[in-house]
Every structure is written in C-alpha cells, then in structure tokens.
Amino acid sequence: MPITERDVEKIAELAHLELTEEEKALFTRQLASIVRYVEKLNELDTEDVPPMMHAGAEEEADYAQRDDEVLASLGQETALANAPDKARGFFRVPRVIE
Amino acid sequence: MTPRDKYEVIIGLEVHAQLKTKSKIFCGCSTAFGDEPNANTCPVCLGLPGALPVLNREAIRLAAKAALALGCRINPVSIFARKNYFYPDLPKGYQISQYEQPFSEHGEVEIMTSERDERGRPIQWRRKVIRLTRLHIEEDAGKSIHDGLPDSAEASYVDLNRSGVPLVEIVSEPDFRSSWEAYDYVQHLRQTLQYIDVCEGNMEEGNLRCDANVSVRPKGATEYGTKIELKNLNSFRFLQRALEYEVHRQIEVLESGGELRQETRLWNEREGKTTVMRTKEYAHDYRYFPEPDLPPLILTPEWIEEVKRELPELPGPRRQRFIEQYGLSFEDATTLTATRSMADYYEAVVAQGVEARAAANWILSELIYLLRSSGSDISACPITPPHLAGMIKLISEGTISGKIAKTVIQEMFQTGKTAEEVVKEKGLVQLSDPAQLEPIIDEVLQAHPDKVNAYRGGKVGLLGFFVGQVMKATKGKANPQLVNQLLREKLASSSSSE
C-alpha cells in the first residue's frame, strides 16, 4: 500500500498537527518506507492463523480484573492542579460548540 | 393522502445505559452523581500519562445480565478497542470501547407498542419484535457544559467525574417505523434494565441516554433514505417529540424538491426543533484499534450460565403470567408489573390468600393514589403486603365495608398499623347485626314519609336514597348488603300492612 502525501495530510489533520510542505514530503517518504518494511509480512500465508489482539497470555485475563470497590480519588484541587485554565472547579477550555 | 402517508419512517436507536457499579470501569473512583466537579478523578480517568486501566469485574457481570435479558449472545472472547477522537471531555484522546468482537450480539426483544391519539392515549397495543445488533461495554466520557456560565460565549467547562463510568451501548437494527415505537422500546429497555437491577434508568441524571438514526423513504422503496443522526434525546418526551419533528422535517424537505444531507443534528427542547450540530472538534474517522492495555475478555460458558440463573422473571413474561394466573386485564397487569417492586408487592399480597382481583383493585386504586400523593415508592410502602391482605380479609369476612376500608387504608398508610388495630381504635367495625340496624332504619323511614309513599307507589329507585341515609346515620359502618335487604323487607311490609 503506497503512502501518498494525501494520506499524511489526513493523518496530520486527525492528530491536530500542522505540517510544513517540507515535513509532508519527509513524512511521506519515511512512512512509506516503514509500511514497505512491514509489508514484508504479507509474503507469509496467514490463512489459518487467528489474529492476535493482545500480547498477553490468555491466563492473564482473569487476574487483570478488580473488585468493585471505591478507592480514594485525587479530589478536585489536585485534579485541577496542572490545568492550564480552570474555574469554579471545572477545567476551562475554548468553546467547542459553534 | 397526506405527504406523511407517502413515506415510510426508518429509525434505529443507540441507547447508552450506565451500569450500577460503585466504582468506575477501569479505576476505583466513585460513580456517585452530583458530587463536586472533578472530585472523583484519578490518573486513570484523567488520562494522565502512564496510568493503566484495570477492568471492574462487577461491570462485566452487570453487562452480561443486560445482554442475556435482551436476548443477546455473549461472545466467549471479546476485545476492547480504542475509539480515537478529540474532544475536551475525553482526556485520553480515545474512548475505550469495543468494535470488532464486541461483548454480545444478535439480540431480540419483544415490546408492546401502540400509536397515540391527539391526547397521547394509546390506540391499540400490539406486539413487535425489535432486533438488537449488539450490546457492548465502554467507558463514559466527561461532561461538557457549554451554556449558562458568564463566559459561555467563549468557554466550555469540563467535569471529568463521569469519565470512566461503565456503560453498555445497546444498538438496535433500523426496526422502528414510528416515533412511538421508538418511545415504547426505550421504555421497555429501561424497565428491563431496572428489573434486573443493572441500571437506575434515570434519563434526567444521564444514566440512560439515547441517540437515533432517522431516515424516510417513499413507501415501497427498497433503498434507505439519507440517514440523519439525532443526539441529545435525554428524556422520554424529548425522544418522541424530536423524532416526530425530524420525520416531518425530512418529509417536508423531500416534498419541496430538496435533498437531505447526511449530518448530525441536535434536539433543542426550548425551540422545539432540531438543528445541525457543528463542532470544531469533530472527525468521523475513529481509527479503531485493539486496546493494548487490556487483555481480551474471556468468559466461560459456566460463568455465563451462572449469570443467567441470577436473572429474575422479566417484565414481559411476568405480565403475561399475571393475566393468565390472576385473571387480570392487560392494562392492570401492565401497571402491576411496571416495576419489580410493584409486582413483588402484589404477589406478596396474593400469597397471603386473598382474592387476586381484590388485591389488584386495592393496589391499583387506593394504594397507588396514596403512594403518588405522598411521593413514595412501593418498596417503602408503610402498608406491608400482609397488612394489606389483612384489610382485604376484613372486608371479605364482613367486619368492615369497602367504604370504611377506604378510611382504614389511609390510616394504615399514615401510621403503619394493621387494619385490625385501626378498626378497633376507631370503632369502625361494620354494623352487621339486624337488631342494631333496624332501629336506625325505622328512624330513617319515619323521617321521610313522602319518599316512603313514593317508593310504595312504584318509585323503587328510591331504595338507593334510603341506603344512603342509613349509611350516613351510621357513618358508613352499616353493612350495605344487610341494609339493602332490611330496607326492602320493611318497605314491602309497611306497604302491605296498611
């Protein structure tokens, strides 16, 4: 699957990144090279191999759960401590609905 | 034929139901509603770097109950996935949800539905099967406040207490053909989820939310029309009104030769219309991929069976059983099975050996009235089922009349006393002794000689008047059947004696 500059623009838009023309060209080349490298795997016949959704073993599944118990939270003050903008106990952000 | 009749309405619903856990789905923060903003947060639900989710076992159990109650097949292995989008109330930049291999699929619910007349009254109830595409588990986002603050024109406010609260999303097939079908379905879902104790079902507190996909097409067409997504349908009334508005709007656009655009619209309750939702942060490409921080969710058939055994009798089957077993009408059985606590109460009364119809009548009239006017739920009713049964027995034994019982039940409701106690204290025992009643009846007859004559002259309808006078003189305590009988005898004998 060849990577085009259009793909890079779309990914940048979805990731909220602004790229210069030079960066677009550079990332197009770099991404294309990475994808070409991974495409090597397509040479294998994976017809009967189930897709691997997770690197952990299946036995991991059970102990990776917790009981429904309320634990201490950070609290409002700490939660907001690093917020660039806050008011009335809320995070404040530029208005998002037009 | 109105323009409306030329079109077929196609609606599909996505309902988000909050699972009734104490803590969030991936961390130990409280799910309590109405706490100080951002108080119930931690690195996991704030999306701080390096924090890792750990799944809440109880959320899985509740989701399984919901899936089974809605006829879904639970997948033995399901996968969590990241749904990526930017929005200020989604701190991680993705929502942990499920996409491929969801928790459960292929459900089916049978609902009772009816169109409504102009006054909102059901016209004709009928059964309809609604297919469910899937029911999957996901975390809630935070809450954004866009209006009502001094600087709302330029700022939005974010509360992350809700971030990470466990939800199930229940996706239906596009099986609804009217707004009322959608309304009745959401009512059914809510009732079922409350019955199985999985969700509070309170739309106002946001623990049941609904989005809809709405389209119309000319009758007979096989292709679907342009689909519009409707959001913000957060009360039962909104839901039906918004859908109705949207259907009309789409038909109007098409009838005037216009074209519909695929878009997301918001219901605005104040203005009573839907408007296009425009946000600066909206992208329709979620780039789902498996969540690397959570292992696949693996459920054994034994575990699923165990959850199935926990399920109570569901409202639909229970209503049907009430109709058959207790000889109730559809409407009465519907009211008595509206909530599990109501149905349990009714059956507890019947279990005391009182007549099933009498028990239903007392609950449906007096008791429901008392509960409503005091704003309390039947689960906290001061009259216990044995107490109510005791009162009904006093009536059937002839100790008190039905009329007196209406006074007795009020007193029982206020004091929590038994009917026997109330009757004894207030001296409300029914007068069933002819020797006591006869002098009173004689007095009444003597006081109204003209009416006695009229009765004798053929106006037998006056019997009701005499009964009323006797009841009044005895403050309602006289046994009405006996009064009737004695009056008839006396009126007959007095006429023959002259």
Side-chain angles (χ1 to χ4, degrees):
Chain A
M1 189 185 73
I3 297 286
T4 64
E5 230 176 75
R6 181 66 216 117
D7 294 322
V8 173
E9 280 167 5
K10 192 183 172 201
I11 294 163
E13 191 193 319
L14 289 170
H16 285 203
L17 294 174
E18 279 177 37
L19 302 181
T20 63
E21 288 306 313
E22 292 74 40
E23 284 171 326
K24 273 185 215 164
L26 174 68
F27 293 147
T28 307
R29 273 202 313 280
Q30 290 183 337
L31 281 174
S33 147
I34 294 167
V35 169
R36 253 197 318 277
Y37 175 68
V38 177
E39 265 179 349
K40 182 94 183 133
L41 291 173
N42 288 348
E43 291 170 19
L44 288 173
D45 178 8
T46 54
E47 192 66 38
D48 297 321
V49 182
M52 190 182 88
M53 294 295 192
H54 192 264
E58 290 203 352
E59 304 80 60
E60 195 191 331
D62 191 53
Y63 67 70
Q65 295 182 3
R66 41 175 280 272
D67 291 331
D68 184 26
E69 285 165 4
V70 175
L71 305 174
S73 294
L74 292 180
Q76 191 186 72
E77 204 186 317
T78 312
L80 294 169
N82 290 330
D85 192 6
K86 62 199 161 194
R88 299 179 172 84
F90 293 94
F91 294 93
R92 202 167 73 140
V93 298
R95 186 171 169 82
V96 277
I97 280 196
E98 277 176 12
Chain B
M1 189 162 162
T2 65
R4 175 73 192 255
D5 299 327
K6 289 193 280 185
Y7 290 88
E8 185 181 30
V9 175
I10 312 276
I11 299 170
L13 292 177
E14 290 170 14
V15 173
H16 288 91
Q18 178 180 337
L19 299 172
K20 243 168 115 171
T21 57
K22 295 195 279 290
S23 66
K24 294 185 180 179
I25 184 165
F26 298 126
C27 63
C29 290
S30 166
T31 55
F33 177 81
D35 284 353
E36 286 290 296
N38 296 303
N40 303 329
T41 54
C42 75
V44 173
C45 55
L46 288 170
L48 300 188
L52 288 172
V54 186
L55 187 57
N56 183 339
R57 230 176 234 118
E58 178 67 1
I60 302 307
R61 198 183 64 88
L62 294 178
K65 279 175 87 172
L68 294 170
L70 300 174
C72 291
R73 274 213 306 274
I74 295 179
N75 286 323
V77 179
S78 65
I79 306 292
F80 288 97
R82 292 187 180 179
K83 179 181 182 178
N84 300 280
Y85 64 95
F86 284 120
Y87 207 74
D89 60 24
L90 189 74
K92 294 193 298 296
Y94 58 86
Q95 176 193 27
I96 302 180
S97 178
Q98 297 189 300
Y99 189 58
E100 285 175 79
Q101 274 180 261
F103 184 73
S104 62
E105 295 170 278
H106 312 298
E108 214 176 74
V109 291
E110 185 183 272
I111 63 165
M112 297 301 299
T113 184
S114 168
E115 295 307 302
R116 309 297 203 271
D117 64 17
E118 324 77 64
R119 293 172 59 188
R121 289 171 310 196
I123 295 166
Q124 172 80 64
W125 291 103
R126 61 195 158 80
R127 284 169 210 285
K128 175 154 182 165
V129 171
I130 305 298
R131 296 165 302 154
L132 304 183
T133 318
R134 54 194 276 150
L135 175 152
H136 70 248
I137 301 170
E138 61 185 29
E139 60 174 339
D140 206 345
K143 187 177 159 67
S144 299
I145 298 163
H146 305 294
D147 299 297
L149 289 155
D151 55 348
S152 282
E154 65 263 17
S156 294
Y157 285 75
V158 179
D159 173 8
L160 295 178
N161 280 349
R162 216 174 63 187
S163 165
V165 159
L167 306 176
V168 285
E169 176 173 333
I170 305 160
V171 183
S172 86
E173 293 287 313
D175 283 352
F176 307 100
R177 294 291 168 271
S178 76
S179 59
W180 286 113
E181 284 186 4
Y183 174 91
D184 290 325
Y185 162 79
V186 178
Q187 290 275 17
H188 177 94
L189 273 192
R190 174 172 181 253
Q191 186 192 25
T192 303
L193 296 174
Q194 287 176 329
Y195 249 75
I196 61 176
D197 208 21
V198 153
C199 174
E200 301 275 0
N202 186 333
M203 288 188 102
E204 284 64 40
E205 288 188 9
N207 48 45
L208 196 67
R209 302 197 295 270
C210 188
D211 300 331
N213 290 310
V214 186
S215 66
V216 299
R217 64 180 174 193
K219 277 189 178 155
T222 48
E223 300 274 301
Y224 286 123
T226 305
K227 187 170 82 179
I228 306 272
E229 195 183 354
L230 262 190
K231 287 186 173 282
N232 211 17
L233 307 174
N234 295 336
S235 83
F236 286 105
R237 266 173 55 81
F238 286 16
L239 168 75
Q240 189 273 330
R241 285 176 50 181
L243 291 172
E244 201 57 34
Y245 174 90
E246 183 56 23
V247 165
H248 276 278
R249 190 191 68 83
Q250 292 186 17
I251 291 173
E252 240 166 64
V253 171
L254 294 176
E255 281 291 297
S256 61
E259 244 179 71
L260 292 162
R261 265 181 319 171
Q262 191 161 343
E263 62 194 4
T264 301
R265 299 177 74 89
L266 276 181
W267 171 245
N268 184 324
E269 177 64 13
R270 240 191 339 260
E271 294 172 34
K273 62 180 195 179
T274 65
T275 49
V276 186
M277 176 168 117
R278 283 186 220 283
T279 71
K280 296 170 190 167
E281 308 278 346
Y282 216 73
H284 261 300
D285 184 349
Y286 294 126
R287 295 151 292 150
Y288 284 97
F289 64 88
E291 165 59 272
D293 291 342
L294 289 165
L297 177 61
I298 298 165
L299 302 169
T300 63
E302 294 76 34
W303 183 86
I304 294 170
E305 270 311 307
E306 202 184 298
V307 175
K308 202 178 267 178
R309 278 196 299 273
E310 278 177 44
L311 284 181
E313 187 180 18
L314 296 174
R318 198 167 193 184
R319 178 184 53 218
Q320 197 51 41
R321 182 168 63 78
F322 276 23
I323 293 171
E324 286 159 17
Q325 186 174 343
Y326 303 126
L328 303 179
S329 68
F330 171 78
E331 285 75 17
D332 288 355
T334 299
T335 312
L336 287 173
T337 53
T339 64
R340 193 168 153 195
S341 48
M342 174 68 86
D344 287 348
Y345 186 98
Y346 172 66
E347 294 214 274
V349 176
V350 174
Q352 299 284 316
V354 302
E355 208 259 312
R357 278 232 48 95
N361 289 340
W362 279 99
I363 293 173
L364 290 167
S365 54
E366 301 304 315
L367 196 65
I368 283 189
Y369 172 76
L370 289 166
L371 288 166
R372 278 195 192 142
S373 39
S374 69
S376 43
D377 185 78
I378 191 140
S379 55
C381 183
I383 304 178
T384 65
H387 285 187
L388 184 65
M391 190 203 77
I392 297 169
K393 279 182 194 158
L394 289 187
I395 304 168
S396 56
E397 288 160 2
T399 309
I400 56 172
S401 66
K403 192 162 187 285
I404 284 292
K406 290 187 182 184
T407 313
V408 172
I409 197 171
Q410 279 183 29
E411 187 69 17
M412 291 168 72
F413 192 82
Q414 268 144 33
T415 61
K417 289 179 181 163
T418 66
E420 287 90 340
E421 286 168 336
V422 172
V423 166
K424 202 178 279 174
E425 276 173 28
K426 305 250 161 183
L428 295 172
V429 177
Q430 180 162 259
L431 295 177
S432 298
D433 181 358
Q436 275 181 290
L437 282 175
E438 272 177 13
I440 299 165
I441 291 173
D442 289 340
E443 246 172 72
V444 165
L445 295 181
Q446 275 157 28
H448 301 90
D450 49 334
K451 293 224 165 55
V452 172
N453 280 329
Y455 179 92
R456 276 193 256 122
K459 290 189 81 174
V460 290
L462 280 166
L463 187 70
F465 166 80
F466 293 120
V467 173
Q469 290 299 309
V470 175
M471 294 312 284
K472 202 171 150 189
T474 58
K475 299 197 173 66
K477 285 189 279 183
N479 177 331
Q481 285 82 37
L482 188 59
V483 172
N484 259 292
Q485 186 201 325
L486 291 174
L487 271 170
R488 276 212 187 80
E489 285 169 13
K490 284 193 179 286
L491 285 163
S493 64
S494 63
S495 62
S496 62
S497 69
E498 276 177 82

